[in-house]
Amino acid sequence: MKKHLIFLIIGLAFVGIATTVLLPTDNHAGSSSPQPISNKRPDAQSDKNTAITLMSWNLEWLTLTPFKYAPPRDTADYQALARIFADVSPDVLAFQEVDSLNALYKVVPRTDYQFFLSDRKSKTAERFKDVNQYTGFAVRNGLIVKDIKDLSSVNRNLEGKPSKLRYASYITLQSSPSTQPVHLLSIHLKSGCYKINKTHLSQTKTTNKKATACQIFIHQLSTLAQWIEDHSDQYLIIAGDFNYRLSHENTWLQAQLNRSGQKVRSLTLSTPADCYIKQKRKGKIHYRSYKHLIDHIFISEPLVELHEHTPILAIQYPFPKADVRQYQLTDHCPIISQIQIP
């Protein structure tokens, strides 16, 4: 039975952004030929700009190596993940928690995309010996991509030394050789810090696990803010797992990235969230729904200006409950946006 996607677009005039809710109309995602989010491909231009579909997806310990923290996946599980990807058919995938490209090839068609895995994979001292959570990109063939050295400075402990935290993968993207490049980061920030207090803002060394996580997280945001400042007049996209909630009531995250003025804008500030997932804890299966986003997409003001009066869409792809129960999907629902680039 064909799956149809219903889009409810809510205009937010005061920021010029629209949020979209993606609702599957049945419980069998990908049960027949997938319907893409957009029919626009990289060579389909609107006026002088090109519309690309960006997908950010934390793939939850995507690995072919048996590992105590990684949920085991069989062929049917990988096929279910591949159907979700085909349903969206993005031009750019910013991914997190991928251990190897061979694992990713089971989800993303190898012949249709260019793949870029984090530089951290070649840093023996900054990765684990068994399984790792790498960031990176898959970019549709036809787009011009340069693999830039990762922003590795987000991998620092409280002493300022390299640790085993995830790098921010870095590429530039062009729709044609004559256009200005778009700079993209795929990030996965320190987990364990969902609310900031004055103690966390202190530089005093602490043995409290949560406070330590928050101090590292704040350092990572400072590193990103500096990168944004250094590229403030360029086209920027930062996408991934921030491990922090963002809403109209809690704009602290965006304020940290924009410490010297409005440099980047969140596309997920008003995006509704309802991600139904499966988790295994202490040998038992649990189901829960996440009502708040921690995955976000930010774009720079020069990119915002390209859209003129066109709303910028930010949506979450919720998994059908039947698929969550039948397959081992992921503990994050993808975030999707259609963005105009030069």
Side-chain angles (χ1 to χ4, degrees):
M1 179 171 59
K2 181 176 286 189
K3 173 189 169 188
H4 301 282
L5 301 177
I6 301 175
F7 298 90
L8 304 179
I9 302 176
I10 307 170
L12 300 174
F14 68 98
V15 291
I17 293 176
T19 55
T20 307
V21 184
L22 183 64
L23 301 176
T25 58
D26 70 343
N27 291 324
H28 304 281
S31 56
S32 63
S33 59
Q35 301 299 308
I37 289 289
S38 169
N39 290 325
K40 292 184 178 180
R41 298 274 62 88
D43 58 350
Q45 296 196 4
S46 175
D47 296 328
K48 60 181 180 179
N49 300 324
T50 299
I52 63 165
T53 298
L54 171 70
M55 181 183 194
S56 178
W57 195 2
N58 181 321
L59 286 157
E60 190 191 4
W61 290 107
L62 194 74
T63 179
L64 302 180
T65 303
F67 185 59
K68 60 182 178 179
Y69 298 122
R73 292 184 172 99
D74 59 21
T75 300
D77 298 324
Y78 278 104
Q79 288 173 345
L81 293 175
R83 287 195 296 267
I84 293 169
F85 182 84
D87 230 7
V88 178
S89 189
D91 300 306
V92 179
L93 168 68
F95 61 78
Q96 301 84 45
E97 295 200 22
V98 171
D99 180 49
S100 69
L101 288 182
N102 283 333
L104 189 61
Y105 295 154
K106 289 180 172 290
V107 180
V108 181
R110 186 173 183 174
T111 57
D112 297 338
Y113 287 83
Q114 309 163 68
F115 295 86
F116 305 90
L117 192 64
S118 173
D119 296 340
R120 181 169 158 254
K121 69 182 182 299
S122 62
K123 302 291 184 179
T124 305
E126 298 180 40
R127 59 179 173 86
F128 297 99
K129 294 180 180 179
D130 39 27
V131 175
N132 286 269
Q133 296 180 338
Y134 295 125
T135 57
F137 291 94
V139 181
R140 188 185 298 278
N141 293 336
L143 287 165
I144 302 170
V145 186
K146 287 186 178 180
D147 190 7
I148 310 298
K149 183 178 179 181
D150 283 4
L151 188 64
S152 60
S153 51
V154 293
N155 174 32
R156 295 291 183 271
N157 59 25
L158 294 182
E159 287 74 40
K161 298 178 180 179
S163 182
K164 289 183 170 67
L165 299 170
R166 286 136 325 209
Y167 288 9
S169 293
Y170 185 3
I171 62 172
T172 61
L173 184 71
Q174 292 173 276
S175 59
S176 73
S178 62
T179 58
Q180 291 295 313
V182 180
H183 299 254
L184 296 92
L185 294 182
S186 174
I187 68 164
H188 189 179
L189 300 186
K190 177 68 176 174
S191 63
C193 185
Y194 299 102
K195 189 175 183 180
I196 299 291
N197 61 38
K198 292 182 179 179
T199 302
H200 304 149
L201 297 174
S202 169
Q203 297 300 313
T204 304
K205 190 173 181 180
T206 176
T207 57
N208 181 277
K209 187 175 181 180
K210 182 177 179 181
T212 298
C214 288
Q215 289 178 349
I216 292 173
F217 176 70
I218 290 168
H219 165 74
Q220 290 179 318
L221 290 181
S222 178
T223 300
L224 286 175
Q226 185 60 56
W227 183 85
I228 291 167
E229 279 192 45
D230 294 342
H231 301 79
S232 60
D233 60 341
Q234 300 180 48
Y235 300 113
L236 309 180
I237 300 175
I238 305 173
D241 182 356
F242 282 77
N243 270 310
Y244 197 85
R245 296 175 181 176
L246 177 66
S247 67
H248 286 290
E249 293 73 34
N250 182 14
T251 58
W252 180 86
L253 173 61
Q254 180 154 323
Q256 300 310 300
L257 297 178
N258 287 326
R259 63 186 184 185
S260 63
Q262 180 75 3
K263 297 292 194 304
V264 294
R265 187 179 301 191
S266 169
L267 302 187
T268 50
L269 183 64
S270 302
T271 302
D274 188 7
C275 184
Y276 184 73
I277 60 99
K278 174 169 56 184
Q279 293 177 322
K280 187 175 183 179
R281 293 180 178 175
K282 296 181 179 180
K284 294 184 179 181
I285 299 294
H286 299 271
Y287 297 92
R288 64 175 298 179
S289 292
Y290 286 109
K291 303 292 186 180
H292 301 279
L293 292 182
I294 60 173
D295 302 280
H296 303 292
I297 298 172
F298 290 86
I299 68 173
S300 61
E301 286 299 316
L303 266 186
V304 173
E305 292 170 3
L306 288 186
H307 292 77
E308 298 178 350
H309 303 296
T310 304
I312 309 172
L313 306 181
I315 67 177
Q316 183 187 68
Y317 186 111
F319 303 136
K321 289 186 177 181
D323 284 7
V324 172
R325 292 182 177 274
Q326 183 175 357
Y327 305 112
Q328 181 59 58
L329 300 181
T330 60
D331 58 359
H332 289 244
C333 291
I335 303 298
I336 306 160
S337 181
Q338 187 174 88
I339 300 172
Q340 296 283 336
I341 66 170

